Amino acid sequence: MSGMFQIRGGKQLHGEITPQGAKNEALQILCAVLLTDDEVRIKNIPDIHDVNRLIEILGDFGVRITKNGKGIYTFKADQVNFDYIKSQEFKKDGAKLRGSIMLLGPMLARFGEAYMPTPGGDKIGRRRLDTHFQGFVELGAEFHYDEIENFYTLKAKELQGKFILLEEASVTGTANVVMAAVLAKGKTRIYNAACEPYLQQLCKMLNRMGANISGIGSNLLTIEGVSHLHGTEHTMLPDMVEIGSWIGLAAMTKSEMTIKNVHWNQLGVIPSTFRKLGIELEQSGDDIYIPAQEHYRIQKFIDGSILTVSDAPWPGFTPDLLSIVLVTATQAKGTVLIHQKMFESRLFFVDKLIDMGAQIILCDPHRATVVGLNHESPLRGTTMTSPDIRAGNALLIAALSAEGKSIIHNIEQIDRGYENIDGRLRALGADIVRI
Ligand SMILES: CC(=O)N[C@H]1[C@@H](OP(=O)(O)OP(=O)(O)OC[C@H]2O[C@@H](n3ccc(=O)[nH]c3=O)[C@H](O)[C@@H]2O)O[C@H](CO)[C@@H](O)[C@@H]1O
Ligand SMILES: C=C(OP(=O)(O)O)C(=O)O
C-alpha cells in the first residue's frame, strides 16, 4: 500500500458505518492463543497492520494458523519454535508494535522462558514496562535486560501465585500478568489492575479456556492457578476508539450518520463525553444515530467554569480518544481544556490544526485549550504528516471537514489501526484517495 491520502474536504457525509473489531483487544487475545495446545478460534479480527504483524509473528513462532473467513482465524500452538524467538529476525519483528509485549506472559507461563525486544508502537512519550516485569518477578520469574541489544529475558521453572499491587494500572501490563498467573501455582491477586472492556474480554476468554479468574471488571482480580488450559472460541468487541472517531467525524462534517452495533453498554463515558461537546447522539437499539447538526455547543461545568476533558484509566476516558475530542472541539461553540495526563507527546500535532485555522493554545505538552469556531469559518486544507495513529485519524477528520485539498503523509500510522479507512469513508461519500 502506498503512503499518502489526498482529501478534498468540506463534503457532508451520509450513511451507516460498522466499526471494526477492536485493535487493542485483538492484540491481547492473539497473544493468549499461546496458552494452550488446543485450537482457539477467533472472530471479528480487524485487518490492520499491527494485528497482521502479530499474526505473522505467531506463525513464525510455529503456531498453526488457518484463515476461516473474513476476520476469522483458528490458531493451534501445539508446536513452537524458540529458535525464532531468540533470533535476530524476532528482534526486528517484535519491535514493530506495542502489542507483541503481551507474548511474554503466555510464553513464560506455558514454557518457563520468554524473550522480547523493546516493543514498538506509538512514539507518544515515555512508555515504560516496569509494571509488566514487576508482576513477573513477583510471580517468581528471573528477569534480565540486555541494554545493548534492548532485549528482555525471563525464566521461571514454576510461577507461584501471590498478592501483587501493581505500580500503575497498565493495560498491557495487567494483561501480561493475568496471562502468566492463570497457569501459576496457587492464588494470585492483582490489585490496581486495569479493567477496560478489552481486559474483561481477555479474562472471560481465559475462563472459557478453563482458567479461574474472578473480580473481572474491577481493579482487584483473583486468579486461582490451573495446570492446563483448553481451546475456545472468542469474538472481538467493536473498536471503541473507532466509534468515538466516527462521532467526531459526523460532528465536524455536519453529517447524519449511524454507527452500527456499537455494544453501547461497553462504551463507558465515551458517549457522554461527546455529548458534553454539545453533539447530539441517540442510542437506537445497539446503534448510535447522530443527526446532521449545524452547530454544537460545549457545556460548562455546573459552577460555570470551562469544561476539561482528560484521560484516566478505565472507567475514565480513554487517552486514545483525546486527539479526536480535541479536533472535534475546533468547530464547536465554546471553549474546552484538553488534558492528556498519561502521555507526554501526544498533543504536538495541534500545530497542524493551528496552521489549518483552528484556535488552539498549547499550554504545555499535556494541555491544550481549544476555542471552537462554531462552524463559522472552516479549517483550510493543507499538507501534513501523521505523527501517531490517533493524531493521524484526528488530522484526517480535520482534512475531511476542511475547505480545499489536503495531503496526509505517513499514513502507515493510520493503517496500523484502522481497517480500509479510505474505502469505508468513500462509502459515506468522502472524497479521499490513496496515492
Ligand atoms: C496495545 C495497547 O493496548 N495499547 C494501549 C495501552 O497501552 P499500554 O498498555 O502500553 O499503556 P499503559 O496502560 O501501560 O500506560 C499508558 C501510559 O499511561 C501512564 N499511566 C498508566 C496507568 C496509570 O494509572 N497512570 C498512568 O500515568 C503510563 O505511565 C503510560 O505512560 O493502554 C494505553 C492506555 O489506555 C492506550 O493508550 C494504548 O492504546
Ligand atoms: C497508542 C496506541 O497504540 P499502541 O499502544 O499500539 O502504540 C493506540 O492504539 O492509540
Side-chain angles (χ1 to χ4, degrees):
M1 276 197 221
S2 54
M4 54 180 143
F5 285 137
Q6 178 184 290
I7 297 132
R8 287 186 197 279
K11 284 184 74 176
Q12 229 171 342
L13 312 180
H14 183 78
E16 290 182 354
I17 190 159
T18 303
Q20 67 186 28
K23 159 183 168 278
N24 287 345
E25 177 181 344
L27 298 170
Q28 301 187 11
I29 297 294
L30 287 168
C31 292
V33 306
L34 286 182
L35 283 164
T36 175
D37 55 8
D38 280 354
E39 261 186 22
V40 180
R41 190 173 145 92
I42 308 180
K43 296 199 222 162
N44 203 22
I45 299 183
D47 183 6
I48 53 177
H49 285 193
D50 270 20
V51 162
N52 292 335
R53 281 182 182 142
L54 186 56
I55 294 175
E56 275 166 33
I57 290 175
L58 288 171
D60 290 338
F61 192 25
V63 177
R64 288 191 280 156
I65 303 172
T66 317
K67 186 165 183 185
N68 310 116
K70 181 166 165 34
I72 309 174
Y73 289 80
T74 308
F75 300 87
K76 191 165 168 58
D78 52 350
Q79 298 148 4
V80 290
N81 168 15
F82 265 93
D83 289 344
Y84 165 68
I85 290 294
K86 293 180 193 168
S87 71
Q88 285 305 325
E89 200 188 336
F90 177 60
K91 284 181 185 160
K92 275 211 313 274
D93 298 344
K96 285 184 188 153
L97 70 158
R98 181 80 179 165
S100 57
I101 191 71
M102 291 177 290
L103 294 167
L104 277 176
M107 259 195 253
L108 183 66
R110 180 139 168 249
F111 307 107
E113 54 182 327
Y115 305 87
M116 184 58 56
T118 299
D122 267 347
K123 303 286 174 262
I124 46 184
R126 287 177 297 162
R127 304 191 70 179
R128 65 200 186 90
L129 294 169
D130 303 58
T131 318
H132 302 236
F133 297 115
Q134 177 211 345
F136 295 139
V137 168
E138 293 208 38
L139 290 173
E142 265 175 52
F143 168 62
H144 177 74
Y145 176 48
D146 179 337
E147 285 179 28
I148 296 165
E149 290 255 30
N150 280 328
F151 201 63
Y152 302 98
T153 303
L154 289 160
K155 293 211 165 134
K157 283 209 186 71
E158 183 180 82
L159 294 172
Q160 177 70 51
K162 67 174 290 202
F163 175 79
I164 301 172
L165 173 57
L166 291 182
E167 277 176 26
E168 57 176 21
S170 164
V171 173
T172 51
T174 304
N176 239 338
V177 180
V178 166
M179 289 192 277
V182 284
L183 289 177
K185 244 181 137 208
K187 188 200 292 194
T188 302
R189 286 185 303 146
I190 307 175
Y191 194 27
N192 198 22
C195 62
E196 53 170 27
Y198 305 148
L199 265 159
Q200 299 178 29
Q201 286 281 99
L202 173 71
C203 291
K204 287 180 196 161
M205 167 174 160
L206 293 171
N207 277 352
R208 286 198 305 277
M209 293 169 78
N212 186 351
I213 307 172
S214 53
I216 298 173
S218 79
N219 66 349
L220 176 61
L221 294 172
T222 303
I223 303 164
E224 296 284 353
V226 294
S227 58
H228 177 82
L229 295 180
H230 51 76
T232 190
E233 189 169 298
H234 181 84
T235 304
M236 231 71 75
L237 285 175
D239 195 308
M240 61 181 171
V241 185
E242 263 213 1
I243 293 166
S245 305
W246 306 144
I247 297 173
L249 172 68
M252 283 290 280
T253 55
K254 303 183 187 172
S255 303
E256 182 189 12
M257 225 185 257
T258 299
I259 311 171
K260 300 293 290 175
N261 307 324
V262 297
H263 285 236
W264 182 282
N265 59 356
Q266 306 279 355
L267 293 177
V269 296
I270 293 172
S272 60
T273 303
F274 282 97
R275 280 180 174 147
K276 282 185 191 157
L277 294 186
I279 301 167
E280 269 180 53
L281 41 104
E282 290 162 24
Q283 182 176 3
S284 155
D286 207 18
D287 302 341
I288 295 179
Y289 170 73
I290 306 147
Q293 278 166 259
E294 280 301 312
H295 301 282
Y296 44 103
R297 178 201 285 264
I298 299 172
Q299 293 174 7
K300 294 193 171 143
F301 285 124
I302 291 171
D303 64 3
S305 59
I306 292 175
L307 181 75
T308 301
V309 180
S310 55
D311 55 343
W314 193 269
F317 191 70
T318 169
D320 297 346
L321 271 173
L322 273 185
S323 315
I324 303 294
V325 169
L326 190 152
V327 78
T328 309
T330 63
Q331 285 297 1
K333 181 176 172 62
T335 304
V336 59
L337 175 68
I338 306 292
H339 191 165
Q340 168 68 257
K341 294 183 180 172
M342 293 195 190
F343 295 105
E344 289 147 353
S345 316
R346 233 180 184 181
L347 291 185
F348 293 127
F349 80 103
V350 303
D351 281 351
K352 264 298 147 202
L353 296 175
I354 294 168
D355 282 353
M356 295 173 86
Q359 295 191 29
I360 304 171
I361 301 160
L362 186 61
C363 315
D364 58 49
H366 286 278
R367 294 180 307 152
T369 305
V370 184
V371 181
L373 296 165
N374 193 24
H375 277 309
E376 277 159 10
S377 58
L379 299 181
R380 297 180 295 271
T382 187
T383 296
M384 47 203 153
T385 295
S386 168
D388 70 67
I389 173 175
R390 306 305 173 190
N393 203 25
L395 292 174
L396 179 55
I397 291 172
L400 287 163
S401 83
E403 202 171 68
K405 186 172 98 176
S406 292
I407 300 280
I408 304 183
H409 293 277
N410 198 26
I411 57 172
E412 147 73 17
Q413 276 299 333
I414 302 176
D415 289 330
R416 218 157 72 63
Y418 298 90
E419 180 176 325
N420 181 26
I421 191 163
D422 45 327
R424 290 194 292 152
L425 290 171
R426 274 193 298 274
L428 291 172
D431 184 344
I432 172 170
V433 280
R434 190 182 280 268
I435 46 179

